[in-house]
Amino acid sequence: MSFSLRHRPGEVGVTIEADALEDVFEQAVAAVRELLGADGEGVGDRLPVLVRGSDVAQLLADFVADLLELADYEQFAAGRVERLQLDDRQVRAALSGRTGGGRDGDDLGLHAFDLRRVGGAWRADFVVTVGRRRAAPPAA
Amino acid sequence: MTVDVGAVEDFAVGAVTRIVVDRRSIGIVNAGDDFYAVLNVCPHELAPVCEGQLGGTTLPSPPGEVRFGLENRIVRCPWHGYEFDLSQGGRCVLTRFKARLRTFPVTVRDGRVLVELKRAR
């Protein structure tokens, strides 16, 4: 199993390949950790994640979205998956990582998501958009 | 972190009211019988999605019939037209576009609109 990051202006393309679906989720955590570049900062912490969805691709998309939100709003940089329970409708995970090691000052988006079987393995592709935060003034 | 963003009457029905909380632009939507709070960032290209239209959309329907619904619950991104359903946690109505808007829980208490910016641990 592996992941790769392709840095482009304003976005990072992510590809994950793994034999087992659970490993795709694990690699997603590793990919987001490297993408955020927050290794070693903050204090050790552990957070639960529960995602429900209509299919496994949606589960993975929402799981990655949760990782980005945790980094943004909790300043929690997930380091590894301690426990993962996965079925067709939900994923329940315990993540260890570091609070205070998240990303601040950037808006993060997630799109172009794809999950499929390729030659007996799983392949996930998605794009994380990165931009400086723009706090617009309140509407008049 | 719970933030009091104003009184119920401060938010017109069927409009997106943009406010700034903790250096973030957030849209407050009064859908009539529900309130929603959404980060003013489209997950696609980080467009200011709350500057787009608020309305409804066509619903799944039998051949030869057009049903319209979800009034005041669909935010349409001004850049590329993606539509997001606030009543479904900000999911895009195009099922193949797996991304979603970032939404926040909203409660109304004693006539005040309260937004929860961080999830409960």
Side-chain angles (χ1 to χ4, degrees), chain B residues 24-63:
Chain B
R24 299 167 201 271
S25 177
I26 292 174
I28 307 296
V29 175
N30 181 352
D33 47 3
D34 277 313
F35 274 84
Y36 301 95
V38 57
L39 188 69
N40 186 16
V41 175
C42 179
H44 177 216
E45 295 288 350
L46 308 181
V49 67
C50 293
E51 294 177 12
Q53 293 177 327
L54 178 71
T57 193
T58 50
L59 303 175
S61 55

Side-chain angles (χ1 to χ4, degrees), chain B residues 21-101:
Chain B
V21 179
D22 194 22
R23 296 180 295 122
R24 299 167 201 271
S25 177
I26 292 174
I28 307 296
V29 175
N30 181 352
D33 47 3
D34 277 313
F35 274 84
Y36 301 95
V38 57
L39 188 69
N40 186 16
V41 175
C42 179
H44 177 216
E45 295 288 350
L46 308 181
V49 67
C50 293
E51 294 177 12
Q53 293 177 327
L54 178 71
T57 193
T58 50
L59 303 175
S61 55
E65 186 178 324
V66 177
R67 288 184 190 158
F68 193 81
L70 296 172
E71 191 64 46
N72 294 335
R73 286 165 175 76
I74 299 293
V75 176
R76 188 170 189 268
C77 182
W79 283 9
H80 299 100
Y82 285 115
E83 293 181 333
F84 299 92
D85 182 355
L86 297 176
S87 69
Q88 295 294 320
R91 288 195 191 287
C92 187
V93 298
L94 291 174
T95 54
R96 289 195 63 230
F97 189 81
K98 300 289 185 187
R100 68 186 188 204
L101 294 180

Side-chain angles (χ1 to χ4, degrees), chain A residues 45 47-48 52 55 58 62 66 69-70 72-74 104 107 109-111 129 131 133-136 138-139, chain B residues 18 20 23-25 39 41 43-48 91 96-100 102 104 117-119 121:
Chain A
D45 203 352
L47 282 183
R52 293 192 174 95
D55 58 69
Q58 187 68 62
D62 285 352
D66 268 12
E69 289 183 20
L70 285 171
D72 191 2
Y73 280 86
E74 307 277 332
D104 193 24
D107 279 323
L110 172 67
H111 69 101
T129 318
R133 182 168 301 141
R134 295 165 301 175
Chain B
R18 278 173 282 146
V20 175
R23 296 180 295 122
R24 299 167 201 271
S25 177
L39 188 69
V41 175
H44 177 216
E45 295 288 350
L46 308 181
R91 288 195 191 287
R96 289 195 63 230
F97 189 81
K98 300 289 185 187
R100 68 186 188 204
R102 191 170 300 177
F104 307 94
L117 283 184
K118 290 186 178 180
R119 71 176 195 165
R121 290 208 178 196

